[in-house]
Structure formats: structure tokens, C-alpha cells
Amino acid sequence: MERFKFILQKEFKQIFRDKGMLPIIFVMPIMQLMVLSFAATFDIHNINLEIIDKDQSPVSHQLISKYEASSYFNIISNLPYDADNGESLQKGEAVIILEIPKDFEKNIIQSQPTNLSAKVDAIDGMSAGVSVNYAQSIIRDFQDDYIQEHGLLLGKPSMNIKISNLNWYNNSLNYKFYMVPGLLVLLVSMIGMFLTSMNIVKEKEIGTIEQLNVTPITKAEFIIGKLFPFWCIGMFVLSLGLTLAKLVFDIPIQGPLYIVFAFAMLYLFVVLGLGLIISTLADTQQQSMFIAWFFMIVFVLLSGLFTPIENMPGWAQDLTLLNPVRYFIEIMRNVLLKGASWADVKMNFYIIGIYGVIINSLAVLLYRKTN
Amino acid sequence: MDRLKGIIKKEFYHIFRDKRTLLILFGIPIVQIVLFGFAISTEIKEVKIALLNQANDEASHTLVDKILSTSYFQVDELIQNEAGINESFKKGKIKAALVIPPNFESDIRKNNTANIQIICDASDPNTGTQIGAYLEGQIQGFIYGNAQKSKGIRPPIQINTEIQMRYNPELKSAYSFVPGLITIILMLICTMMTSIAITREIETGTMEVLLASPMHPATIILGKVIPYLALSFTIAIFILFLGKFVFGVPILAHFGLLIFEILLYCLVVLALGIFISTIAKTQQLALMISLFALFLPTMLLSGFIFPIHNMPLPLQMVTKVIPATYFNIIIKALMLKGATLAEIWKETAILGGIFIFLVGVSIKRFNIRLG
């Protein structure tokens, strides 16, 4: 026990000695949480729209004023002719070019079908789809208003089903409620994994590992001594992050918070274990960082935070089952926003618990091999 | 000149001696491109929903059949009461629920009107609202189809929109992910490699030896950078072809211009790496800065995942100091739009400016350090 205390003391000292690292460990994640939460939104507005109004009629002006009034669109130019032929798309100035044909008003008055055309910059397929939906919803609104104003309804609909669309768990559709806890998970994971993955390999590189190996400490003591300080740092950053999330972003906490913390304790064990494995396998700090970064980018993009897991092909969905980040993000979302209880999320605990045991046994095993 | 050659040779030797790192450097882009090109998708499909059908009559069955006729929705479970919906949401089993009230059919018959509830899991607001809107669309389609069948009415005005998706007509997500990944991967590999190449020499003390030699510091830096420039450039071209041949992402621009822009970006990020090495004293700190401080911000603020024009104004300003933001625009315009220099000269000039700034500051800091 005495010996173990010394190991911990040494590890803590090593971390806190490097004054340059302290802001990276404690300030950087919190700063990123505060700033990046504002960036991560799919809430689309200010879509740059160019209108080519070949009709120049009162009716076409009515449609255009609908676009002007909408906060989704930002009309960058309104021309009576298509002089540039898609140039503003090419230059990236406009996302949509909407063309109103010459006989727009005439067709509408005569109840003839009329065709608008839209050219869309679809490089980013996702926001292109959403932008087009918004553009069309304005046309639909225009259509409905026109029908109401002119009382042109021919016949009466045979059934009228009222659809009420309810948004549970986040009815104000606040993107930050979803993103802040998710980003916090990413940041805590990154710190844990990057720091541990560099740790043993650093001792290898500067040669101090030899000194440790001749001391009478056991492998398990060694590994736990390496893990524990980073585990504390991870828990600290998580607590700090959650506190700020509540104070700054007013993140709802519907379920019992102890579930989140209990899960984090197990979770960090997995992430740190992964870092240790990388550290024992790598020859240089640089190598270990590349490997850690590689895993991290895979974990982040397959976590379901930025793109839903349900949208992925089957094999990728199966792959996410190996991703620890996925389980933590699920816990955050289910407990904080939906108020899930232990019974709802116990599967995640079992999985991550077993995961932790496997990973850390592997870490001890591989560490032995390197000696 | 001979001295410069000597350093270049030495540094190349360093790179090629470490076969594992080389393997990692080329392996990472392959796995990432393949994984994300295939796995990441923002399309909604096979969404699991719960169905609470309190009516169980013919009309409600027809409606449900209509909704399930597309591949977008799957009934995960038939639920008996409202509480069951909450349960399923908390376990994360479903994304939406459809509630059909009792007497659905007779309501329609008697009062010509009925109510339906769509409940979405809005803890992820983007996915939630998208699913809600899609379900609503399906139901409206059902109502409209029914009305046409029974009365043969048609709306008095009909406005159709012909939509032309430019640059990415099939809305493939690989089209935006492949160029985006080139930006991100180059950024991290280049900054990490150069920042460490210099701090390593400082940490192991060999930098002193180099500096004591009669070489100009600029020669030393240049000699260190050129091999990494060659390596990063090779990696960039490698990813480019991977994107082209695995995903058919087009490369429409003039190849010479593309090469020039990639070289420019490589230079900028290499200069960033040198700048970091003038701040960091240890390899660990250099790696943590290049990796931890740059990873999430470049991913989230460069327009790689989230469109910049959705961000709040102060944050849009922040995106303007990130080199990846400009290269992201440049490479997408070059590959997918076939842009010419005239269309991207502004971004190119800014990247050039950032390069000169970083080099200038680095030289200054480097001199201070020597003194």
C-alpha cells in the first residue's frame, strides 16, 4: 500500500510539473466546450438566394416578398433575366438560384400549372436538401395564401385530418441541449486517451521505464498507478464541464445525475485502457499520437453525435457497437434530456463494464510482453 | 546548398527509418476515407417508430400501411398506452411515435375531421424534426390521395418546382466528405509532424548541436520542412486518387492549379507546425497542442461538418482565422465545381497571407529562443 502511494505521488507530480500542460488539460477542454457548442448546429438560416424574376408581375413580387420576409433566406440579388447563368453558384455566392418564368402570373390566373426552376449547390447534400425543403415550403405557403385570398377552392376535401407534431424532450428545439453534453463526452475522452497513450511511451523514449522496471512494483500496481491520475483528471473535467453546461447553457437534467457519474467512472476506465494499449505498442510518442488520433476520429464520427447511427449502413452500425463513445453519448442523451432511470440504461453499463475488463486485461498482458 | 542537402537527407532518413509511422501515415487516410465515404450518411432511412393505434379500424390500418409502404419507417413495437411511448424513448429504441386516437374512422365519417399525433424524439433536434416533417408529409399524401380518389378535386393553382442539384446531383455525402477529409488529415498530419520534428531535437539536445554548426537557422528549418512537405504532398495526392477511384468523386479543375493549391495549403500547415514548436518545449506539449487544440476546432469550425453560415456571427469571425476553412472552400470548388483561379483567388491570397504571417512570427520567436 505504501509503495502504491509513492507511485501515485510520482505520477501526479509528473503531470503537474509540466506547467505548459496544465492549461491544455484543464482550460482547453472547457474553452472548447463553451465555444464549439455554438458552432455545432444544423439549424439552417441565412441561405443565400438569387432570384431571377422574368415575370416582374404583382404575383411574382408577392412570392418574392415571402422569401424576403423569411428568416431562412437572404436574397443576394434579384434580376429580371438570367445574365449570369449559374455564375453565382459557381462562385459560391448563392446556394440556390430560383427562376420565376415569364408567364407566372398569367398561368396562375388561368389556373394553369406553372413551373419554377431552382438550381441548387448540392455539394453538401444534407444542407442542400434542407434548403430546398425550406424554399418549397415558402412556395406552398404562397399557394395556400393565394387560394384563401381568392377563394378558389374547388370542392371540399373529403376528410380533414389535423396532425399535431410534438417534439418531446426538447420542445424548444435547442440544439445546444443536445450538443453540449455530447461535446463534453468527446473532450473528456480525448484528454483521457491522448494523455495515457503518450504516457508509457514517453518513459520508454526518455529511458525512465528501465528504472521503473527494476523497482519491486507489480505490473498491476504499475498500470493502476498510471491510470488513476488520468482517471481523476477525466472525472474532474467532466464535473466542471457539466456544472458549466448547467450554468451557461441551462442544460436540462431530467434523470438522476449519479447515473452519469457512475457511468463515467466505468467509461474512463475503458478509454484510459485503450490509451495504455496504444502506449505499450508504440515506439515513439509521435506514433502513439497518430494511432490515438486515428481511433478518436473514428470514434467521433461513428458516435452518432454528428450524424445519427440509424442512417449508417448495417455494417457501420455494427461497428459502432465497438465504439465506447457511442454508449456514453446515449447515456447523456437518455438520462439528461429524457430522464431515463437505471432500468432504462443498464445495458450500457454491462457493455462498458465488460469492455473495461477486457481492455485493461489486454493492457496488462501486452505490457508484460514488451518487457 | 550542400548543407541544406545534408539536412534534407538526414530528415528523410529519419522519416524512412521509422517504417511503422510511415505505415500509419498512409494507413490512416485509407481507412478513414473508406469508412466515412461509405458509413457517414445524413439520409434518413429505416427509422424505428412506435405505433399506438387506439382505433384499430379500417381507415387507421390503411393510413399505417401507407406510411410503412416506404423504406423510411419501420414499426419497432405496437404500444398499448401513452406511458409505453415514454418508456421506448428513454431506452432509445425509437425515434418517433404515431398516435391514432380511438374512433378515428367514425370521427372522419361523422365530423369529417380527426386528429393524429406525431411525437418525435427532439433530444436530437435535427433528426427529430426531419423525421417529424417526413411522417407528416406521408400522412398528408395519404389525405390528398384519398381526396382525389373520392371527389376528383384538384387544387386551383399548381406551382411545380424543377430542382436541379448541381455539382452533386445524387446528393452523395462522399462528395463533401472526401475533400473535407483531405483538409483535416493534412492539417493534423502536417502540424503534428513538423511540430514534433523540431521539439524532438530540442528535447534530446541535438538542436544545440545543429545550432552550433555554421548553418543559418533558416537553412536548418528549411531542411527540416522540405522532406515533410514532400511527404504531406504525397499523402494529399494519395487521398485525392483514393477519392476519385473508390468513390468517383470528380476532379474537375485544372490539375496544375490543384497541385499548386495543395502545395500552398501544405506549406501553411507546416508553418503552423513550426510555429507550435516555437511555443512548446516538449514533444508531449507540441503533440497535445497540434492534436487536442486543433482537432475539434478544425473539424467543427472549418465547415467540414457544420455549415459556417449557420453559426452565430462572432463564431463566423473565428472560422476566418482557421486555414482549413479556406482550403475547404478551395478544394471543394476545385474538385466538384471545376473552379479557376479567378474564382478562388481571394481564399488563395488569404492562405498565402497566413503562411507569410506564420513564418514571420516563427522566425522572430526562434531568434528570441536562440538568444
Side-chain angles (χ1 to χ4, degrees), chain A residues 133 140 161-167, chain B residues 44-52 60 62-76 85 89 94-100 116-122 126-144:
Chain A
N133 276 346
R140 267 199 303 276
I161 300 180
K162 288 195 190 107
I163 306 166
S164 48
N165 203 331
L166 306 175
N167 292 308
Chain B
I44 288 184
K45 54 183 181 246
E46 289 174 21
V47 177
K48 293 207 170 65
I49 60 171
L51 183 63
L52 173 55
S60 68
T62 330
L63 175 66
V64 171
D65 285 346
K66 160 82 184 162
I67 292 167
L68 296 181
S69 65
T70 63
S71 63
Y72 287 98
F73 298 103
Q74 276 175 2
V75 172
D76 186 69
I85 296 177
F89 271 132
I94 54 163
K95 290 272 168 183
L98 183 68
V99 183
I100 302 174
I116 286 181
Q117 262 185 353
I118 296 170
I119 303 171
C120 298
D121 176 356
N126 182 52
T127 316
T129 47
Q130 252 182 303
I131 290 169
Y134 204 85
L135 256 176
E136 210 175 314
Q138 289 287 308
I139 297 169
Q140 252 147 11
F142 167 77
I143 300 167
Y144 187 71

Coordinates of all heavy atoms in Angstrom, one line a residue, chain A residues 133 140 161-167, chain B residues 44-52 60 62-76 85 89 94-100 116-122 126-144:
Chain A
N133 N -36.1 22.1 -49.1 CA -37.3 22.0 -48.4 C -37.9 23.3 -47.9 O -39.1 23.6 -48.1 CB -37.1 21.1 -47.1 CG -37.2 19.7 -47.5 OD1 -37.7 19.3 -48.5 ND2 -36.7 18.8 -46.6
R140 N -45.3 26.7 -51.1 CA -46.6 26.1 -50.6 C -47.4 27.1 -49.8 O -48.6 27.2 -50.0 CB -46.3 24.9 -49.7 CG -46.3 23.5 -50.5 CD -46.5 22.4 -49.6 NE -45.5 22.3 -48.5 CZ -44.3 21.8 -48.7 NH1 -44.0 21.2 -49.8 NH2 -43.4 21.7 -47.7
I161 N -57.7 15.7 -41.7 CA -57.0 15.1 -40.5 C -56.1 16.2 -40.0 O -55.2 16.7 -40.7 CB -56.2 13.9 -40.9 CG1 -57.2 12.8 -41.5 CG2 -55.5 13.3 -39.7 CD1 -56.6 11.5 -41.9
K162 N -56.2 16.5 -38.8 CA -55.3 17.5 -38.2 C -54.2 16.8 -37.6 O -54.3 15.8 -36.8 CB -56.1 18.3 -37.1 CG -57.1 19.3 -37.6 CD -57.5 20.3 -36.6 CE -58.6 21.1 -37.1 NZ -59.9 20.7 -36.4
I163 N -53.0 17.1 -38.0 CA -51.8 16.5 -37.4 C -51.1 17.4 -36.4 O -50.8 18.5 -36.8 CB -50.8 16.2 -38.6 CG1 -51.5 15.4 -39.7 CG2 -49.6 15.4 -38.0 CD1 -50.7 15.4 -41.0
S164 N -51.0 16.9 -35.2 CA -50.2 17.7 -34.3 C -48.8 17.1 -34.1 O -48.7 15.9 -33.9 CB -50.9 17.9 -33.0 OG -51.4 16.6 -32.5
N165 N -47.8 17.8 -34.3 CA -46.5 17.3 -34.3 C -45.8 17.8 -33.0 O -45.5 19.0 -32.8 CB -45.7 17.9 -35.6 CG -44.6 17.1 -36.0 OD1 -44.0 16.4 -35.1 ND2 -44.3 17.1 -37.2
L166 N -45.6 16.8 -32.1 CA -45.0 17.2 -30.8 C -43.5 16.9 -30.8 O -43.1 15.8 -31.3 CB -45.7 16.4 -29.7 CG -47.2 16.5 -29.7 CD1 -47.8 15.6 -28.6 CD2 -47.6 18.0 -29.4
N167 N -42.7 17.8 -30.2 CA -41.3 17.5 -30.0 C -41.0 17.3 -28.6 O -40.9 18.2 -27.8 CB -40.5 18.7 -30.6 CG -40.6 18.8 -32.0 OD1 -40.4 17.8 -32.8 ND2 -41.0 19.9 -32.5
Chain B
I44 N -32.1 10.0 -44.2 CA -32.9 9.3 -43.2 C -33.5 8.1 -43.8 O -34.1 8.1 -44.9 CB -34.0 10.2 -42.7 CG1 -33.4 11.3 -41.8 CG2 -35.1 9.4 -41.9 CD1 -34.4 12.2 -41.1
K45 N -33.3 6.9 -43.2 CA -34.0 5.7 -43.7 C -34.2 4.7 -42.5 O -33.5 4.8 -41.5 CB -33.2 5.1 -44.8 CG -31.8 4.9 -44.5 CD -31.0 4.3 -45.7 CE -29.6 4.1 -45.3 NZ -28.6 4.8 -46.0
E46 N -35.1 3.9 -42.7 CA -35.4 2.8 -41.7 C -35.5 3.4 -40.3 O -34.8 2.9 -39.4 CB -34.3 1.7 -41.8 CG -34.4 0.9 -43.1 CD -33.3 -0.1 -43.2 OE1 -32.7 -0.4 -42.2 OE2 -33.1 -0.5 -44.4
V47 N -36.2 4.4 -40.1 CA -36.4 5.0 -38.8 C -37.4 4.1 -38.0 O -38.4 3.7 -38.5 CB -37.0 6.4 -38.9 CG1 -37.3 6.9 -37.5 CG2 -36.1 7.3 -39.7
K48 N -37.0 3.8 -36.8 CA -37.9 2.9 -36.0 C -38.9 3.8 -35.3 O -38.5 4.7 -34.6 CB -37.0 2.1 -35.0 CG -36.1 1.1 -35.6 CD -35.8 0.0 -34.7 CE -35.1 -1.2 -35.4 NZ -33.8 -0.8 -35.9
I49 N -40.1 3.5 -35.5 CA -41.2 4.2 -34.8 C -42.1 3.3 -33.9 O -42.1 2.1 -34.2 CB -42.1 5.0 -35.8 CG1 -42.8 4.0 -36.7 CG2 -41.3 6.0 -36.5 CD1 -43.8 4.7 -37.6
A50 N -42.8 3.9 -33.0 CA -43.7 3.1 -32.2 C -45.1 3.5 -32.7 O -45.3 4.6 -33.1 CB -43.6 3.4 -30.7
L51 N -46.0 2.6 -32.6 CA -47.3 2.8 -33.1 C -48.3 2.6 -32.0 O -48.3 1.5 -31.4 CB -47.7 1.9 -34.3 CG -49.0 2.1 -35.0 CD1 -49.1 3.4 -35.6 CD2 -49.2 1.0 -36.0
L52 N -49.1 3.7 -31.6 CA -50.1 3.5 -30.6 C -51.5 3.7 -31.4 O -51.9 4.8 -31.6 CB -50.0 4.5 -29.5 CG -51.1 4.6 -28.5 CD1 -51.3 3.3 -27.8 CD2 -50.7 5.6 -27.4
S60 N -57.6 3.5 -40.1 CA -56.3 3.7 -39.5 C -55.3 2.7 -40.0 O -54.2 3.0 -40.2 CB -56.5 3.6 -38.0 OG -56.8 2.3 -37.6
T62 N -55.3 1.5 -43.1 CA -54.9 2.0 -44.4 C -53.8 3.1 -44.3 O -52.8 3.1 -45.0 CB -56.1 2.6 -45.2 OG1 -57.3 2.0 -44.7 CG2 -55.9 2.5 -46.7
L63 N -54.1 3.9 -43.3 CA -53.1 5.0 -43.1 C -51.7 4.5 -42.7 O -50.7 4.8 -43.2 CB -53.6 5.9 -42.0 CG -52.7 7.1 -41.5 CD1 -52.4 8.0 -42.7 CD2 -53.2 7.8 -40.3
V64 N -51.7 3.5 -41.8 CA -50.5 2.9 -41.3 C -49.8 2.2 -42.5 O -48.5 2.3 -42.7 CB -50.7 1.9 -40.1 CG1 -49.5 1.1 -39.8 CG2 -51.2 2.7 -38.9
D65 N -50.5 1.5 -43.3 CA -49.9 0.8 -44.4 C -49.3 1.8 -45.3 O -48.2 1.5 -45.9 CB -51.0 0.0 -45.2 CG -51.4 -1.3 -44.4 OD1 -50.7 -1.6 -43.5 OD2 -52.5 -1.8 -44.8
K66 N -49.9 2.9 -45.5 CA -49.3 3.9 -46.4 C -48.0 4.4 -45.9 O -47.0 4.5 -46.6 CB -50.4 5.1 -46.5 CG -49.8 6.4 -47.0 CD -49.6 6.4 -48.5 CE -49.0 7.7 -49.0 NZ -48.4 7.7 -50.3
I67 N -47.9 4.6 -44.6 CA -46.7 5.1 -44.0 C -45.6 4.1 -44.1 O -44.4 4.4 -44.4 CB -46.9 5.5 -42.6 CG1 -47.8 6.8 -42.5 CG2 -45.6 5.8 -41.8 CD1 -48.4 7.1 -41.1
L68 N -46.0 2.8 -43.9 CA -44.9 1.8 -43.9 C -44.6 1.3 -45.3 O -43.6 0.5 -45.5 CB -45.4 0.6 -43.1 CG -45.6 0.9 -41.6 CD1 -46.1 -0.3 -40.9 CD2 -44.4 1.4 -41.0
S69 N -45.3 1.9 -46.3 CA -45.0 1.4 -47.7 C -43.7 1.9 -48.2 O -43.1 1.3 -49.1 CB -46.1 1.8 -48.6 OG -46.1 3.2 -48.7
T70 N -43.1 2.9 -47.6 CA -41.8 3.4 -48.0 C -40.8 2.7 -47.0 O -41.1 2.2 -46.0 CB -41.6 4.9 -47.8 OG1 -41.7 5.2 -46.4 CG2 -42.6 5.6 -48.6
S71 N -39.5 2.8 -47.4 CA -38.5 2.1 -46.6 C -38.0 3.0 -45.5 O -37.1 2.7 -44.8 CB -37.3 1.7 -47.5 OG -36.7 2.9 -48.0
Y72 N -38.7 4.2 -45.3 CA -38.2 5.1 -44.3 C -38.6 4.8 -42.9 O -37.9 5.1 -42.0 CB -38.8 6.5 -44.6 CG -38.1 7.1 -45.8 CD1 -38.7 7.1 -47.1 CD2 -36.9 7.8 -45.7 CE1 -38.1 7.7 -48.2 CE2 -36.3 8.3 -46.8 CZ -36.9 8.3 -48.1 OH -36.3 8.8 -49.1
F73 N -39.7 4.1 -42.8 CA -40.2 3.8 -41.4 C -40.4 2.3 -41.2 O -40.8 1.6 -42.0 CB -41.5 4.6 -41.1 CG -41.3 6.1 -41.2 CD1 -41.8 6.8 -42.3 CD2 -40.7 6.8 -40.2 CE1 -41.6 8.1 -42.4 CE2 -40.5 8.1 -40.3 CZ -41.0 8.8 -41.4
Q74 N -40.1 2.0 -39.9 CA -40.4 0.6 -39.5 C -41.0 0.6 -38.2 O -40.6 1.4 -37.3 CB -39.0 -0.1 -39.3 CG -38.4 -0.7 -40.6 CD -37.1 -1.3 -40.3 OE1 -36.6 -1.3 -39.1 NE2 -36.5 -1.8 -41.3
V75 N -42.1 -0.2 -38.0 CA -42.7 -0.2 -36.7 C -41.8 -1.1 -35.8 O -41.6 -2.2 -36.0 CB -44.1 -0.7 -36.7 CG1 -44.7 -0.9 -35.3 CG2 -45.0 0.3 -37.5
D76 N -41.3 -0.5 -34.7 CA -40.5 -1.3 -33.8 C -41.4 -2.0 -32.8 O -41.1 -3.1 -32.5 CB -39.6 -0.3 -33.0 CG -38.6 -1.1 -32.2 OD1 -37.7 -1.8 -32.7 OD2 -38.7 -1.1 -30.9
I85 N -44.9 4.8 -24.7 CA -44.1 5.7 -25.6 C -42.9 6.2 -24.9 O -41.7 6.1 -25.4 CB -44.9 6.8 -26.2 CG1 -46.1 6.2 -27.0 CG2 -44.1 7.7 -27.1 CD1 -47.0 7.2 -27.6
F89 N -38.8 5.6 -25.7 CA -38.0 6.7 -26.0 C -36.8 6.7 -25.1 O -35.6 6.9 -25.5 CB -38.7 8.1 -25.8 CG -39.4 8.6 -27.1 CD1 -40.7 9.0 -27.0 CD2 -38.7 8.6 -28.3 CE1 -41.4 9.4 -28.2 CE2 -39.4 9.1 -29.4 CZ -40.7 9.5 -29.3
I94 N -36.7 3.9 -30.1 CA -37.5 4.5 -31.3 C -37.1 6.0 -31.4 O -36.6 6.6 -30.5 CB -39.0 4.4 -31.1 CG1 -39.4 5.0 -29.7 CG2 -39.4 3.0 -31.2 CD1 -40.9 5.3 -29.5
K95 N -37.4 6.6 -32.6 CA -37.1 8.0 -32.8 C -38.4 8.8 -32.9 O -38.4 10.0 -32.8 CB -36.4 8.1 -34.2 CG -35.0 7.6 -34.1 CD -34.1 8.7 -33.7 CE -32.7 8.1 -33.4 NZ -31.8 9.1 -32.9
A96 N -39.6 8.1 -33.1 CA -40.8 8.8 -33.2 C -42.0 7.9 -32.9 O -41.8 6.7 -32.9 CB -41.0 9.4 -34.7
A97 N -43.1 8.5 -32.6 CA -44.3 7.6 -32.3 C -45.5 8.3 -33.0 O -45.6 9.5 -33.1 CB -44.5 7.5 -30.8
L98 N -46.4 7.4 -33.4 CA -47.6 7.9 -34.1 C -48.7 7.4 -33.3 O -48.9 6.3 -32.9 CB -47.6 7.2 -35.5 CG -48.8 7.6 -36.4 CD1 -48.6 9.1 -36.8 CD2 -48.9 6.8 -37.6
V99 N -49.6 8.4 -32.9 CA -50.7 8.1 -32.1 C -52.0 8.3 -32.9 O -52.3 9.4 -33.3 CB -50.7 8.9 -30.8 CG1 -51.9 8.5 -29.9 CG2 -49.4 8.8 -30.0
I100 N -52.8 7.3 -33.0 CA -54.1 7.4 -33.7 C -55.1 7.2 -32.6 O -55.2 6.3 -31.9 CB -54.2 6.3 -34.8 CG1 -53.1 6.5 -35.8 CG2 -55.6 6.5 -35.5 CD1 -53.1 5.4 -36.8
I116 N -54.5 13.4 -35.3 CA -53.4 12.4 -35.2 C -52.3 13.1 -34.5 O -52.1 14.3 -34.7 CB -53.0 12.0 -36.6 CG1 -54.0 11.0 -37.3 CG2 -51.6 11.2 -36.5 CD1 -53.6 10.5 -38.6
Q117 N -51.6 12.3 -33.7 CA -50.4 12.9 -33.1 C -49.1 12.3 -33.6 O -49.0 11.0 -33.7 CB -50.5 12.7 -31.6 CG -51.0 13.9 -30.8 CD -51.0 13.7 -29.4 OE1 -50.7 12.6 -28.9 NE2 -51.3 14.7 -28.6
I118 N -48.1 13.1 -33.9 CA -46.8 12.6 -34.2 C -45.9 13.1 -33.0 O -45.9 14.3 -32.7 CB -46.2 13.2 -35.5 CG1 -47.1 12.8 -36.7 CG2 -44.8 12.8 -35.7 CD1 -46.7 13.5 -38.0
I119 N -45.3 12.1 -32.4 CA -44.4 12.5 -31.3 C -42.9 12.2 -31.7 O -42.7 11.1 -32.1 CB -44.7 11.8 -30.0 CG1 -46.2 12.1 -29.6 CG2 -43.8 12.3 -28.9 CD1 -46.7 11.3 -28.5
C120 N -42.1 13.2 -31.7 CA -40.7 13.0 -32.1 C -39.8 13.1 -30.9 O -40.0 13.8 -30.0 CB -40.3 14.0 -33.1 SG -41.3 14.0 -34.6
D121 N -38.7 12.3 -31.0 CA -37.6 12.5 -30.0 C -36.8 13.7 -30.4 O -35.9 13.5 -31.3 CB -36.8 11.2 -30.0 CG -35.6 11.3 -29.0 OD1 -35.4 12.4 -28.5 OD2 -34.9 10.3 -28.9
A122 N -37.0 14.8 -29.8 CA -36.3 16.0 -30.2 C -35.0 16.2 -29.4 O -34.5 17.3 -29.5 CB -37.2 17.2 -30.2
N126 N -32.3 18.1 -34.8 CA -32.2 18.0 -36.3 C -32.9 16.7 -36.8 O -33.8 16.8 -37.6 CB -30.8 18.0 -36.8 CG -30.7 18.0 -38.2 OD1 -31.3 18.8 -38.9 ND2 -29.9 17.1 -38.8
T127 N -32.5 15.6 -36.3 CA -33.1 14.3 -36.7 C -34.5 14.3 -36.3 O -35.4 13.9 -37.1 CB -32.3 13.2 -36.0 OG1 -30.9 13.4 -36.1 CG2 -32.6 11.9 -36.7
G128 N -34.9 14.8 -35.1 CA -36.2 14.7 -34.7 C -37.2 15.5 -35.6 O -38.2 14.9 -36.0
T129 N -36.8 16.7 -35.9 CA -37.7 17.5 -36.8 C -37.8 17.0 -38.2 O -38.8 17.0 -38.8 CB -37.3 19.0 -36.8 OG1 -35.9 19.0 -37.1 CG2 -37.7 19.7 -35.5
Q130 N -36.7 16.4 -38.7 CA -36.7 15.9 -40.0 C -37.6 14.7 -40.1 O -38.4 14.6 -41.0 CB -35.3 15.4 -40.4 CG -34.6 16.2 -41.4 CD -33.2 15.7 -41.7 OE1 -32.4 15.4 -40.8 NE2 -33.0 15.3 -43.0
I131 N -37.6 13.8 -39.1 CA -38.4 12.7 -39.1 C -39.9 13.1 -39.0 O -40.7 12.6 -39.7 CB -38.0 11.7 -37.9 CG1 -36.7 11.1 -38.2 CG2 -39.1 10.6 -37.7 CD1 -36.0 10.3 -37.1
G132 N -40.1 14.1 -38.1 CA -41.5 14.6 -37.9 C -42.1 15.1 -39.2 O -43.2 14.8 -39.6
A133 N -41.3 15.9 -39.9 CA -41.7 16.5 -41.1 C -42.0 15.4 -42.2 O -43.0 15.5 -42.9 CB -40.7 17.5 -41.7
Y134 N -41.1 14.4 -42.2 CA -41.3 13.4 -43.2 C -42.6 12.6 -42.9 O -43.3 12.3 -43.8 CB -40.1 12.5 -43.2 CG -40.0 11.8 -44.5 CD1 -39.4 12.5 -45.6 CD2 -40.6 10.6 -44.8 CE1 -39.4 11.9 -46.9 CE2 -40.5 10.0 -46.0 CZ -39.9 10.6 -47.0 OH -39.9 10.1 -48.3
L135 N -42.8 12.2 -41.7 CA -44.0 11.5 -41.3 C -45.3 12.3 -41.7 O -46.2 11.8 -42.2 CB -44.0 11.3 -39.8 CG -43.7 9.9 -39.3 CD1 -43.7 9.9 -37.8 CD2 -44.7 8.8 -39.8
E136 N -45.2 13.6 -41.4 CA -46.3 14.5 -41.7 C -46.6 14.5 -43.2 O -47.7 14.4 -43.6 CB -46.0 15.9 -41.2 CG -47.2 16.7 -40.8 CD -46.9 18.0 -40.2 OE1 -45.9 18.1 -39.3 OE2 -47.5 19.0 -40.6
G137 N -45.5 14.5 -44.0 CA -45.6 14.5 -45.4 C -46.3 13.3 -45.9 O -47.2 13.3 -46.8
Q138 N -46.0 12.1 -45.3 CA -46.6 10.9 -45.7 C -48.1 10.9 -45.4 O -48.9 10.4 -46.2 CB -46.0 9.7 -44.8 CG -44.5 9.4 -45.2 CD -44.5 8.7 -46.5 OE1 -45.2 7.7 -46.7 NE2 -43.7 9.2 -47.5
I139 N -48.5 11.4 -44.2 CA -49.9 11.4 -43.9 C -50.6 12.4 -44.8 O -51.7 12.1 -45.3 CB -50.0 11.9 -42.4 CG1 -49.4 10.8 -41.5 CG2 -51.5 12.0 -42.0 CD1 -49.2 11.2 -40.1
Q140 N -50.0 13.5 -45.1 CA -50.7 14.5 -46.0 C -50.9 13.8 -47.4 O -51.9 14.0 -48.0 CB -49.9 15.8 -46.1 CG -50.6 16.9 -45.4 CD -49.7 17.9 -44.8 OE1 -48.5 17.8 -45.0 NE2 -50.2 18.7 -43.9
G141 N -49.9 13.1 -47.8 CA -50.0 12.4 -49.1 C -51.2 11.5 -49.1 O -51.9 11.4 -50.0
F142 N -51.4 10.8 -47.9 CA -52.5 9.9 -47.8 C -53.8 10.6 -47.9 O -54.7 10.2 -48.6 CB -52.4 9.2 -46.4 CG -53.6 8.4 -46.0 CD1 -53.9 7.2 -46.5 CD2 -54.4 9.0 -45.0 CE1 -55.0 6.5 -46.1 CE2 -55.5 8.3 -44.6 CZ -55.8 7.0 -45.2
I143 N -53.9 11.8 -47.2 CA -55.1 12.5 -47.2 C -55.5 13.0 -48.6 O -56.6 12.9 -49.1 CB -55.0 13.7 -46.3 CG1 -54.8 13.3 -44.8 CG2 -56.3 14.6 -46.3 CD1 -54.3 14.4 -43.9
Y144 N -54.4 13.5 -49.3 CA -54.6 14.1 -50.6 C -55.0 13.0 -51.6 O -56.0 13.2 -52.3 CB -53.3 14.7 -51.0 CG -53.4 15.5 -52.3 CD1 -54.1 16.7 -52.4 CD2 -52.8 15.0 -53.5 CE1 -54.3 17.4 -53.6 CE2 -52.9 15.7 -54.7 CZ -53.7 16.9 -54.7 OH -53.8 17.5 -55.9

